[in-house]
Amino acid sequence: MAFKPLFVRYACTLLSVFGGTIIAQQTPTLVVSLVVDQMRAEYLYRFEDQFTGGLQRLLKEGTVFRECHYSYVPTYTGPGHASIYTGTDPMHHGIIGNDWFDRTRDRMVYCVEDPDVTPIGSSNPASKRSPLLLQSTTWTDELEWATQKASKVFAFSLKDRGAILPAGHFADAAFWYDDQIEGFVTSSHYASELPSWLAAFNAEKPVARLMQGLQEPLGHGRFSGPDASLFEKRLMGMGPRVYPLDLAAVYAAGKGDAIRRVPQGNSLLFQVAKRAIEKEQLGRHAQTDVLALSFSTPDYIGHDVGTRGKEIEDVYLRFDLELGAFLAYLDAAVGKDNYLVTLTADHGAADNPGQMRAMGMADAQAWNDADFEASLKEALAPSFAIYPVRTVCNDQVYVLSEFQKPEVLEKIKTALLSHPAVAHVFTSATLSNSSQEEVSLRYNGANKFSGDVFFALKPGHLLYSQTGTTHGSGYSYDTHVPLLFYGKNVTSSQVYRTVKVKDIAPTMSHLLHIARPSASTGEPLKEVLKGKEKTSSKKKRR
Ligand SMILES: [Zn+2]
């Protein structure tokens, strides 16, 4: 594992025990940074009266930002995590999608791919991953630098990108779930072997132990549609998702992948997080440690069932209970007044368009990706002997290099606008010339690897299957996410002004007394820092 200069830790300890009196630390000994994949801000209101656990505690005792938004498109997991931790938009941190087309390599690249690292804990080539393509430092990086790596920084997620982008470049490790071994792995970017406690955790077969029994949904279902609705995907190729959920059957059908799609995926993450705290003694050092957890399961479930299913209510109520137990564990292990918790999401989600039509909104539709591109091809056919497009991804059209001319881009724009789902089209050259919201979202989300023509579908229209849902747009259903701070030096308040996700990292820099991430552009959130000011002025008077 990463080298830890011992003298730094001793120096901090000596400073904090001066003249026999322990001076209370102004910074927390542990930051628990939570990201819930695909959590819409609205879910807090929808389920608030049913929360009795950790979410209720954060909502009652923390600072709650009710209007936190992403400031770019596409609103996907990779860019979301990168923006939370770097405090800036994709145009600066470089993670412009989960995948994007790279003209110099003439292929799609994945946001955390790295052909030069080896998987650790697995031989799965899909685990050759690192933060290579992340162009900015993260607040977790700046903490590691400030303490000469004396801080312990660990990130866990079921998705590789959900662990790696929070961990940044300098962390002790990012650990992600590997379907083949049904446990957590890392890569040679972070370590040459798994810590023995994690190898032991994997060897206990935690997935097989969790995927047992029949499960009824939690909640009163007042806000959900009928179970096994027409708008839901089948679970692991089995029949419709109906309760009780037969976990052993789901596991038998989906093998290692199955746990991602049921609430037990969150339980697995809480279990490994507790093990990390215990074995690495997180939060019990003089300097600040970090545990970054990204819960991917709500995203897999949302993609399968949409935003209104009983499964959504169930997974958030279970998350609330498990978070409650986890915070109670932290109270005992780290001390109630020593830790800080943040919670946000990497993006929201659209409602299923078929379900919107059933509710009475006629202008909503899911469009098949391949059909969409076929209609673009057809619209361009009269003007071009060959199809001038290399690829279409992230709502962007990449034109063949010999066709990168303004008159061609205009023709593509006209062709796209002839599609009934398309609302707006912008060429890359015009992105910087407008302060219009629709344009600046795209400007913030693009760099030299982006496409030549950008299009926005109408709200309620998706390039996706008829069942389940997705995200990626600049509409509020995708950009609006929860943002909560709770714990050391944080006061209880509700904030309704609009803030941006990129404001989180600069706020962390002030809370932890460290440099801002290298490319950060966000503004620190004064409502969170208020509590810190109160504590320091009290100290001065003493
Ligand atoms: Zn997703």
Side-chain angles (χ1 to χ4, degrees):
M1 302 303 293
F3 169 66
K4 295 282 174 194
L6 274 177
F7 68 91
V8 175
R9 191 162 301 157
Y10 280 124
C12 292
T13 313
L14 287 175
L15 279 177
S16 59
V17 186
F18 183 73
T21 324
I22 295 174
I23 300 165
Q25 270 195 313
Q26 280 196 40
T27 51
T29 62
L30 179 66
V31 177
V32 178
S33 177
L34 309 171
V35 179
V36 184
D37 201 318
Q38 206 189 104
M39 186 174 186
R40 289 162 54 126
E42 171 253 326
Y43 291 155
L44 289 176
Y45 282 136
R46 201 195 295 182
F47 305 127
E48 201 157 337
D49 67 333
Q50 297 187 79
F51 290 148
T52 57
L55 286 172
Q56 187 198 52
R57 187 161 156 190
L58 264 54
L59 283 164
K60 279 200 172 150
E61 298 173 40
T63 301
V64 185
F65 292 88
R66 295 282 185 177
E67 273 297 330
C68 178
H69 288 262
Y70 279 90
S71 42
Y72 61 83
V73 288
T75 38
Y76 291 137
T77 292
H81 284 79
S83 300
I84 293 164
Y85 286 87
T86 62
T88 191
D89 292 309
M91 71 176 296
H92 295 301
H93 62 59
I95 305 299
I96 56 169
N98 286 337
D99 307 86
W100 60 88
F101 186 72
D102 183 337
R103 292 176 190 282
T104 60
R105 294 186 245 193
D106 197 41
R107 66 168 176 87
M108 295 296 291
V109 298
Y110 177 53
C111 61
V112 289
E113 70 170 44
D114 185 347
D116 295 332
V117 296
T118 45
I120 301 295
S122 159
S123 54
N124 189 351
S127 285
K128 287 164 79 79
R129 301 286 180 246
S130 88
L132 179 68
L133 299 175
L134 180 64
Q135 296 169 4
S136 172
T137 62
T138 57
W139 66 259
T140 50
D141 280 332
E142 294 298 339
L143 176 67
E144 284 284 41
W145 215 335
T147 65
Q148 293 293 306
K149 292 202 172 188
S151 285
K152 290 194 175 197
V153 176
F154 289 97
F156 292 88
S157 175
L158 266 59
K159 291 182 183 175
D160 47 21
R161 58 190 181 277
I164 290 169
L165 298 167
H169 306 266
F170 308 151
D172 291 71
F175 297 113
W176 56 93
Y177 177 74
D178 185 301
D179 288 2
Q180 282 184 6
I181 69 143
E182 299 185 10
F184 290 89
V185 301
T186 187
S187 82
S188 55
H189 173 81
Y190 301 101
S192 54
E193 58 182 3
L194 287 186
S196 55
W197 61 262
L198 185 58
F201 178 85
N202 290 342
E204 290 163 18
K205 304 249 172 261
V207 175
R209 282 192 295 137
L210 284 164
M211 296 297 283
Q212 291 176 12
L214 296 175
Q215 187 166 278
E216 290 290 353
L218 296 184
H220 50 45
R222 206 165 64 209
F223 303 111
S224 350
D227 197 15
S229 87
L230 293 170
F231 314 110
E232 297 179 3
K233 285 189 178 60
R234 291 175 169 244
L235 179 56
M236 309 279 18
M238 303 163 62
R241 260 185 195 256
V242 283
Y243 288 107
L245 205 54
D246 183 343
L247 292 169
V250 176
Y251 183 39
K255 306 281 185 302
D257 179 40
I259 195 163
R260 295 175 187 269
R261 289 156 201 283
V262 292
Q264 280 61 30
N266 288 343
S267 313
L268 181 69
L269 206 69
F270 277 120
Q271 285 184 1
V272 77
K274 271 174 80 172
R275 192 71 64 91
I277 291 170
E278 186 189 320
K279 298 296 180 182
E280 296 287 345
Q281 295 281 294
L282 299 182
R284 295 188 207 169
H285 305 113
Q287 74 296 319
T288 302
D289 295 330
V290 178
L291 183 63
L293 304 175
S294 175
F295 293 86
S296 314
T297 286
D299 182 67
Y300 291 107
I301 295 178
H303 280 291
D304 279 0
V305 309
T307 56
R308 309 279 166 179
K310 279 191 171 59
E311 292 82 356
I312 295 296
E313 182 175 33
D314 178 59
V315 73
Y316 282 100
L317 295 188
R318 285 180 197 279
F319 177 78
D320 166 62
L321 291 177
E322 290 191 279
L323 181 60
F326 186 69
L327 296 182
Y329 169 78
L330 288 178
D331 292 343
V334 179
K336 202 169 183 253
D337 300 320
N338 294 330
Y339 66 90
L340 173 78
V341 180
T342 65
L343 185 147
T344 188
D346 53 351
H347 52 75
D351 284 309
N352 174 281
Q355 214 163 0
M356 289 183 81
R357 280 203 309 280
M359 286 292 286
M361 179 157 181
D363 191 7
Q365 192 163 334
W367 303 82
N368 176 282
D369 249 318
D371 292 349
F372 182 84
E373 198 173 345
S375 63
L376 173 65
K377 207 168 181 173
E378 201 182 307
L380 290 172
S383 310
F384 299 95
I386 60 163
Y387 181 50
V389 173
R390 177 65 183 84
T391 193
V392 179
C393 69
N394 299 329
D395 295 353
Q396 297 164 26
V397 178
Y398 288 75
V399 175
L400 290 170
S401 51
E402 61 270 33
F403 287 98
Q404 283 179 308
K405 298 169 196 151
E407 61 274 22
V408 176
L409 303 190
E410 281 306 314
K411 283 204 167 117
I412 291 172
K413 180 174 172 176
T414 308
L416 284 165
L417 282 169
S418 70
H419 193 283
V422 173
H424 303 284
V425 181
F426 315 97
T427 58
S428 54
T430 61
L431 286 189
S432 58
N433 303 340
S434 172
S435 57
Q436 196 195 326
E437 182 74 1
E438 269 300 321
V439 184
S440 62
L441 286 170
R442 275 148 192 95
Y443 181 67
N444 292 342
N447 68 9
K448 65 181 182 181
F449 293 108
S450 300
D452 304 289
V453 184
F454 294 65
F455 59 90
L457 301 187
K458 291 187 285 185
H461 288 255
L462 307 175
L463 292 178
Y464 199 66
S465 62
Q466 299 298 313
T467 50
T469 194
T470 193
H471 47 85
S473 81
Y475 296 112
S476 60
Y477 49 75
D478 284 337
T479 64
H480 191 192
V481 289
L483 176 59
L484 300 97
F485 288 78
Y486 164 83
K488 189 173 179 72
N489 296 341
V490 177
T491 53
S492 163
S493 68
Q494 299 279 323
V495 182
Y496 295 93
R497 75 178 175 99
T498 301
V499 302
K500 303 292 183 195
V501 167
K502 62 185 169 189
D503 300 337
I504 298 170
T507 308
M508 294 310 296
S509 294
H510 288 291
L511 287 171
L512 301 180
H513 302 179
I514 56 175
R516 290 172 60 125
S518 56
S520 68
T521 54
E523 306 272 346
L525 297 163
K526 55 184 189 301
E527 293 86 349
V528 178
L529 300 173
K530 219 166 49 191
K532 177 179 162 263
E533 276 165 21
K534 270 186 206 147
T535 327
S536 16
S537 58
K538 232 187 273 164
K539 267 200 191 90
K540 257 178 227 153
R541 265 181 260 124
R542 261 190 235 141

